[in-house]
Amino acid sequence: MRRSVVSFLTVVAVAGSFALAADVRREIQFPDLPEARTLKCDLHMHTVFSDGLVWPTVRVVEAWRQGLDAIALTDHIEYLPHKTDMNIKFNRSYELAEGTAKLRNILLVRGAEITRDTPPGHFNAIFLKDNTPLDTKDFYEVFDRAAKQGAFITWNHPGWQGLERGKWGEQQTRLFEKKQLRAIEICNGDEYYPEAFPWAVERNLAVLGCSDEHEPFGDTPWTPENHRTLTLVFAKERTLDSLREAMFAGRTAAWWKNQLFGREEELAPLFAACVEVGPIRQRTDDRICVEIRNRCEMDIQLERDGKEKPIVTVLPAKATSLVVFPAPKTGDPEPVNCRVTNFLIGPNKPLNVKLTFPRS
């Protein structure tokens, strides 16, 4: 009898410990578009198989807990500081993470970082079938080999060693003309490279924001200004094939420190999905008071013209605000033209939107 009681208490204690240790996923709030899923992605990070400090499966668990949909492990091909401690194989980090990714429902993209002096700089190749052929010293040959596998190639953190060394150069021109260079990472970790944004806009290249994380992610709560730098990819479905198609089509946006960078074709419908203008709650002779709901992770910053200076309105993340607008003495109010100053479709070029009020 005593043994049974002890066994029962042991089972209860173990069950309780499992309950306390249960994993929790934090959902990132960016709504889907009418014809696309909004996938939250980090497509540049490292493990112990290059110069990172974590095991590949840890990267998957971190991504799941932080609400991501897709990741790429992009360990360096040329820079392997742990090679005296480990038997480095270029596909091994992907192979080790694959099972955990399936269990956690994370889209895992095979990738690698092509690491050369700056200039010309570092590049990621993702959607690879085999990383091993990228182990070649010839600069252009490595991209030819990646392109033969249908890889998506990104120029990483252009300005990480300063403006002069991070200029668009002859190597970037050649890769672009061969249709091998498809994107520029304009946001990397805590850094934003404003000089690189116009290069992407002018050449219709996808814009990416990535963490480039090497250390373990901490448990610090996210805020609109302090969060993991990510890429939003607007894909038809939540699959690897659809993710790849969307990236080659350039349907991306970079999310960095309460700002979004992308094309108007993507940011305009995303804004429309994020912001819901409700009914008029109060009306006077010349003003209306309206509820506006913000469905996303960002504090959305609106600016509209005033008589003496612009009128700035901040819609807090994941909240509903009461906002005052001018109104005609009779009839329904006209749509209000606004600039979304933290939705940028070019350098210092905010997205223009119209706020339309539901009819009374």
Side-chain angles (χ1 to χ4, degrees):
M1 182 69 179
R2 177 183 174 85
R3 189 174 300 168
S4 299
V5 171
V6 170
S7 298
F8 173 74
L9 292 175
T10 301
V11 169
V12 171
V14 170
S17 68
F18 275 122
L20 290 173
D23 263 351
V24 175
R25 175 176 167 88
R26 176 193 180 278
E27 299 297 340
I28 301 173
Q29 302 299 319
F30 280 103
D32 293 334
L33 307 187
E35 298 182 359
R37 298 283 300 272
T38 302
L39 303 184
K40 284 72 71 175
C41 312
D42 189 349
L43 303 168
H44 184 180
M45 65 187 85
H46 298 275
T47 77
V48 292
F49 283 84
S50 61
D51 59 342
L53 301 181
V54 303
W55 197 249
T57 52
V58 174
R59 288 290 181 230
V60 178
V61 174
E62 290 171 337
W64 182 85
R65 289 174 177 167
Q66 293 187 351
L68 275 65
D69 296 295
I71 63 170
L73 305 180
T74 53
D75 284 312
H76 299 279
I77 295 294
E78 299 85 357
Y79 181 52
L80 305 170
H82 302 155
K83 63 183 178 182
T84 57
D85 302 303
M86 298 178 58
N87 180 17
I88 300 291
K89 297 179 180 179
F90 295 121
N91 291 300
R92 191 59 179 150
S93 60
Y94 175 87
E95 293 167 353
L96 289 167
E98 192 173 16
T100 304
K102 289 180 179 178
L103 177 66
R104 301 270 178 162
N105 194 27
I106 294 291
L107 300 177
L108 181 65
V109 181
R110 191 192 300 265
E113 184 163 9
I114 300 164
T115 313
R116 305 300 167 102
D117 291 339
T118 300
H122 298 189
F123 300 79
N124 275 351
I126 61 174
F127 299 104
L128 291 163
K129 299 177 176 64
D130 182 3
N131 292 356
T132 305
L134 273 59
D135 186 18
T136 178
K137 292 183 179 180
D138 185 273
F139 179 78
Y140 293 112
E141 176 64 22
V142 71
F143 294 101
D144 289 341
R145 294 183 181 187
K148 286 179 181 178
Q149 298 186 41
F152 182 91
I153 297 170
T154 303
W155 181 19
N156 296 342
H157 45 66
W160 76 297
Q161 290 189 351
L163 294 177
E164 187 62 31
R165 294 176 64 82
K167 286 182 177 179
W168 182 282
E170 61 178 282
Q171 294 90 349
Q172 284 77 16
T173 296
R174 180 167 168 179
L175 296 176
F176 173 72
E177 290 176 347
K178 293 180 71 174
K179 298 184 178 180
Q180 293 178 344
L181 182 61
R182 295 286 184 168
I184 302 178
E185 185 184 68
I186 67 169
C187 301
N188 176 286
D190 288 336
E191 295 185 336
Y192 162 53
Y193 309 106
E195 67 282 352
F197 193 14
W199 299 335
V201 172
E202 291 162 7
R203 296 166 176 84
N204 201 29
L205 297 173
V207 295
L208 269 60
C210 304
S211 72
D212 193 8
E213 189 58 72
H214 290 67
E215 298 184 2
F217 280 98
D219 294 327
T220 304
W222 288 11
T223 68
E225 284 285 348
N226 184 24
H227 57 84
R228 182 172 179 168
T229 299
L230 297 178
T231 301
L232 304 183
V233 181
F234 306 99
K236 295 175 183 177
E237 298 175 343
R238 193 183 185 279
T239 65
L240 282 171
D241 286 343
S242 189
L243 175 69
R244 183 179 182 277
E245 183 276 329
M247 294 190 68
F248 271 94
R251 298 197 303 272
T252 67
W255 178 37
W256 179 84
K257 293 185 182 295
N258 203 47
Q259 296 182 78
L260 274 176
F261 308 88
R263 304 186 306 184
E264 185 173 5
E265 293 93 327
E266 283 71 49
L267 295 196
L270 181 61
F271 176 86
C274 290
V275 174
E276 179 187 359
V277 180
I280 296 171
R281 292 302 179 193
Q282 188 180 51
R283 181 164 186 162
T284 64
D285 288 343
D286 58 355
R287 293 185 177 185
I288 57 171
C289 189
V290 178
E291 282 188 345
I292 303 182
R293 182 183 178 189
N294 176 4
R295 302 174 184 271
C296 80
E297 295 282 339
M298 298 175 58
D299 291 342
I300 295 179
Q301 300 165 0
L302 300 178
E303 183 181 271
R304 62 187 191 271
D305 293 330
K307 290 183 178 179
E308 297 180 0
K309 61 181 181 180
I311 300 169
V312 177
T313 301
V314 177
L315 305 177
K318 300 179 290 186
T320 301
S321 304
L322 282 172
V323 184
V324 174
F325 294 92
K329 293 185 180 298
T330 59
D332 293 318
E334 295 294 324
V336 175
N337 294 318
C338 295
R339 296 173 290 276
V340 192
T341 56
N342 56 343
F343 277 49
L344 297 173
I345 59 174
N348 302 313
K349 186 178 180 181
L351 176 71
N352 291 321
V353 299
K354 284 188 177 184
L355 297 183
T356 302
F357 307 103
R359 291 189 176 274
S360 304

